[in-house]
Amino acid sequence: MELFEQKFSDSMSSKVALLNRITHYIVNRKGKQMRPMFVFLVAKMVSGGEVNERTYRGASVIELIHTATLVHDDVVDDSNRRRGFFSINALWKNKIAVLVGDYLLSKGLLLSIDYGDFDLLKIISVAVREMSEGELLQIEKARNLDITEEIYYEIIRQKTATLIAACCSLGACSVSPKSDDIQKMRKFGELIGMAFQIKDDLFDYGDTAIGKPTGIDIKEQKMTLPLIYTLNHCTKEKKKWLINSIKNHNKNKKRVKEVINFVKASGGLEYAIEIMHKFKEEALLILSEYPDSDYKSSLSLMVEYVIDRKK
């Protein structure tokens, strides 16, 4: 990871001083770095302990693209904080944030092209396309609040799971091109991503500070699994009240709290936790096909971490 951080930092460099100042700020406020870890652990598990320059490049590209999407997300969501720090748009305004996101995206794509890693580039490009589609599908559906569980799974598969799926398939592809492991690991990453997003949804109903304020999904009219379950399992009157609360009273703190309490009382959280565990078990089942190794054990721990994390 130390070597990767150096390579990742180098991959962002520019001749423009302002850009370097901003990318330096980004690098120093990085998050859990879960995604590059998935790239390296999968590559090592599949190859029996080997990683190569392609693996490092792949991890850097994923992190560049991921960072670009976060910078753009903060502009889209008008968010001033990211992981407890000021977001790029809060410090340098939206125009610069959008341009920085574009720059990081192009740096990521060029890193693959410069070395002829077109198989890795395809994996990443599919992820970027799906992430955009997932966000737009969510916005389209949020207008009517008519999201079924199936549509919700499709949204989170594209919006969140596709990037973790890309990390895992890319890790396998970097050391073992054209192997069956690429698809297997893609599925593994997708299942973890689904569990990861459901865990995120659950934080919205928590009382602890986790880097994003609770109740924010309701304020933004985002349909999450606990809410979808509750809407499908309550009386017509309550459903009407819930939809009215989310559509017309989502800025009212007292009303948002009432919605949260109603979802909790209706078993929405328990249901979401049950589904999250199902995805986790399916992911572990795929891992069980591989011979035991330190890398496999670490991946199992990562899967557990996704659903046990506190933020």
Side-chain angles (χ1 to χ4, degrees):
M1 288 305 289
E2 278 175 19
L3 183 55
F4 161 70
E5 278 176 33
Q6 186 52 54
K7 287 176 187 280
F8 175 55
S9 202
D10 294 345
S11 71
M12 280 188 176
S13 65
S14 157
K15 292 188 177 76
V16 179
L18 173 64
L19 248 176
N20 283 334
R21 201 155 70 242
I22 295 170
T23 53
H24 181 73
Y25 178 81
I26 290 169
V27 169
N28 286 339
R29 279 148 192 79
K30 61 193 174 303
K32 300 180 274 286
Q33 290 203 294
M34 220 174 73
R35 286 158 191 85
M37 274 188 231
F38 274 124
V39 175
F40 290 118
L41 286 172
V42 167
K44 288 192 161 197
M45 181 182 76
V46 166
S47 68
E50 295 299 313
V51 291
N52 54 33
E53 281 303 316
R54 261 164 60 88
T55 317
Y56 282 101
R57 282 198 298 274
S60 291
V61 173
I62 284 277
E63 208 55 352
L64 283 164
I65 306 261
H66 176 54
T67 308
T69 61
L70 295 182
V71 171
H72 282 167
D73 275 354
D74 287 338
V75 175
V76 169
D77 296 339
D78 203 15
S79 174
N80 291 325
R81 313 286 286 181
R82 164 70 61 184
R83 302 182 184 120
F85 295 99
F86 284 114
S87 58
I88 304 299
N89 47 303
L91 292 172
W92 285 281
K93 300 285 177 280
N94 283 349
K95 186 174 182 177
I96 288 177
V98 170
L99 294 169
V100 168
D102 289 347
Y103 172 77
L104 294 172
L105 189 65
S106 64
K107 276 295 233 184
L109 301 177
L110 282 168
L111 187 57
S112 295
I113 291 166
D114 289 346
Y115 290 90
D117 299 325
F118 297 109
D119 50 352
L120 305 186
L121 182 61
K122 185 171 183 185
I123 290 171
I124 287 149
S125 301
V126 167
V128 174
R129 185 199 72 208
E130 291 205 319
M131 285 155 74
S132 315
E133 283 180 347
E135 287 286 356
L136 286 163
L137 179 60
Q138 184 169 48
I139 291 165
E140 179 192 318
K141 294 298 177 186
R143 287 184 181 145
N144 310 322
L145 300 183
D146 65 346
I147 294 186
T148 60
E149 241 181 89
E150 283 64 39
I151 292 171
Y152 165 81
Y153 293 135
E154 185 52 23
I155 289 171
I156 69 167
R157 188 191 67 72
Q158 292 188 312
K159 204 181 74 140
T160 304
T162 193
L163 191 63
I164 298 178
C167 296
C168 297
S169 58
L170 192 141
C173 188
S174 71
V175 291
S176 185
K178 298 188 171 69
S179 67
D180 293 343
D181 296 311
I182 300 168
Q183 269 313 99
K184 240 189 243 178
M185 286 295 104
R186 179 179 177 76
K187 188 66 190 164
F188 169 72
E190 191 176 279
L191 291 162
I192 295 168
M194 302 290 276
F196 185 90
Q197 184 57 54
I198 295 172
K199 179 71 173 182
D200 251 21
D201 290 354
L202 289 163
F203 282 139
D204 206 46
Y205 293 88
D207 307 310
T208 49
I210 40 114
K212 73 168 191 176
T214 51
I216 201 165
D217 289 339
I218 293 164
K219 260 187 217 138
E220 291 173 1
Q221 300 188 26
K222 278 185 187 161
M223 298 298 281
T224 59
L225 191 55
L227 193 54
I228 293 165
Y229 175 84
T230 304
L231 279 167
N232 290 337
H233 293 83
C234 64
T235 62
K236 265 194 183 156
E237 289 72 33
K238 275 295 185 187
K239 189 171 185 172
K240 220 168 151 182
W241 172 80
L242 267 175
I243 289 173
N244 182 30
S245 302
I246 294 158
K247 273 201 157 167
N248 306 314
H249 304 281
N250 55 32
K251 302 286 186 282
N252 178 333
K253 278 186 181 166
K254 184 172 173 283
R255 192 74 170 255
V256 168
K257 195 143 187 58
E258 284 171 11
V259 169
I260 288 174
N261 289 336
F262 182 65
V263 170
K264 283 179 175 175
S266 305
L269 302 194
E270 284 84 349
Y271 179 74
I273 289 166
E274 185 190 324
I275 297 292
M276 178 177 74
H277 279 281
K278 267 188 192 160
F279 283 125
K280 179 197 89 165
E281 292 308 325
E282 279 185 60
L284 290 174
L285 203 61
I286 294 174
L287 268 193
S288 69
E289 296 173 28
Y290 286 86
D292 288 343
S293 66
D294 287 347
Y295 318 114
K296 179 180 163 180
S297 305
S298 295
L299 281 169
S300 296
L301 283 173
M302 294 268 286
V303 175
E304 297 293 346
Y305 166 74
V306 161
I307 67 162
D308 292 336
R309 67 200 164 98
K310 301 288 181 276
K311 61 179 182 173

